Amino acid sequence: MSLSELEIHLGRRKVYRCDKEIDLKAKEFDLLCLLVVNKGYVLTYTQIYEKLWGQDSLGNENNSVGCHVRSLRRKLYKEYPDAPFVIRCLRSIGYCFETNLR
């Protein structure tokens, strides 16, 4: 999978920008893949939680998901500050991965 200069290697569970690896934890990698595969669609906190954790939501998924999204954003934007994508938050709903922002 490739997004401009961002390379996602599913089989190796690695993400690179310009041949430099972006060190992601397992859930961050899974979250990125889930968002990219659903590019342009809003995924609710519940949908993300149930997919990543493999269990039904108990109503506290917003904090867990939000924490992982913040960490993922920090790592991606540190290595790719001018990224042509954004992980957009829709307050109280979920997140959407958007590209072609320019």
Side-chain angles (χ1 to χ4, degrees), residues 41-56:
Y41 292 95
V42 176
L43 297 176
T44 67
Y45 290 103
T46 301
Q47 288 172 317
I48 295 169
Y49 185 87
E50 290 177 353
K51 184 68 175 173
L52 294 186
W53 278 267
Q55 57 189 7
D56 290 339

Side-chain angles (χ1 to χ4, degrees), residues 55-91:
Q55 57 189 7
D56 290 339
S57 158
L58 300 174
N60 61 350
E61 66 276 355
N62 293 23
N63 288 337
S64 296
V65 171
C67 179
H68 283 81
V69 168
R70 278 189 300 279
S71 179
L72 175 61
R73 281 177 175 154
R74 185 178 66 249
K75 291 176 180 182
L76 289 177
Y77 299 147
K78 178 182 177 189
E79 296 299 329
Y80 203 169
D82 56 342
F85 58 83
V86 67
I87 300 171
R88 187 167 56 98
C89 176
L90 285 86
R91 188 177 296 256

Side-chain angles (χ1 to χ4, degrees), residues 2-69:
S2 180
L3 296 164
S4 186
E5 296 173 12
L6 192 69
E7 297 276 333
I8 302 170
H9 297 268
L10 297 173
R12 293 186 293 168
R13 298 185 58 82
K14 303 271 184 186
V15 177
Y16 299 90
R17 179 181 186 238
C18 298
D19 295 324
K20 181 179 180 190
E21 183 178 352
I22 300 173
D23 187 32
L24 299 180
K25 293 182 180 177
K27 289 279 191 251
E28 295 165 345
F29 180 85
D30 294 340
L31 175 59
L32 176 61
C33 290
L34 179 65
L35 291 170
V36 169
V37 165
N38 291 283
K39 179 175 60 173
Y41 292 95
V42 176
L43 297 176
T44 67
Y45 290 103
T46 301
Q47 288 172 317
I48 295 169
Y49 185 87
E50 290 177 353
K51 184 68 175 173
L52 294 186
W53 278 267
Q55 57 189 7
D56 290 339
S57 158
L58 300 174
N60 61 350
E61 66 276 355
N62 293 23
N63 288 337
S64 296
V65 171
C67 179
H68 283 81
V69 168

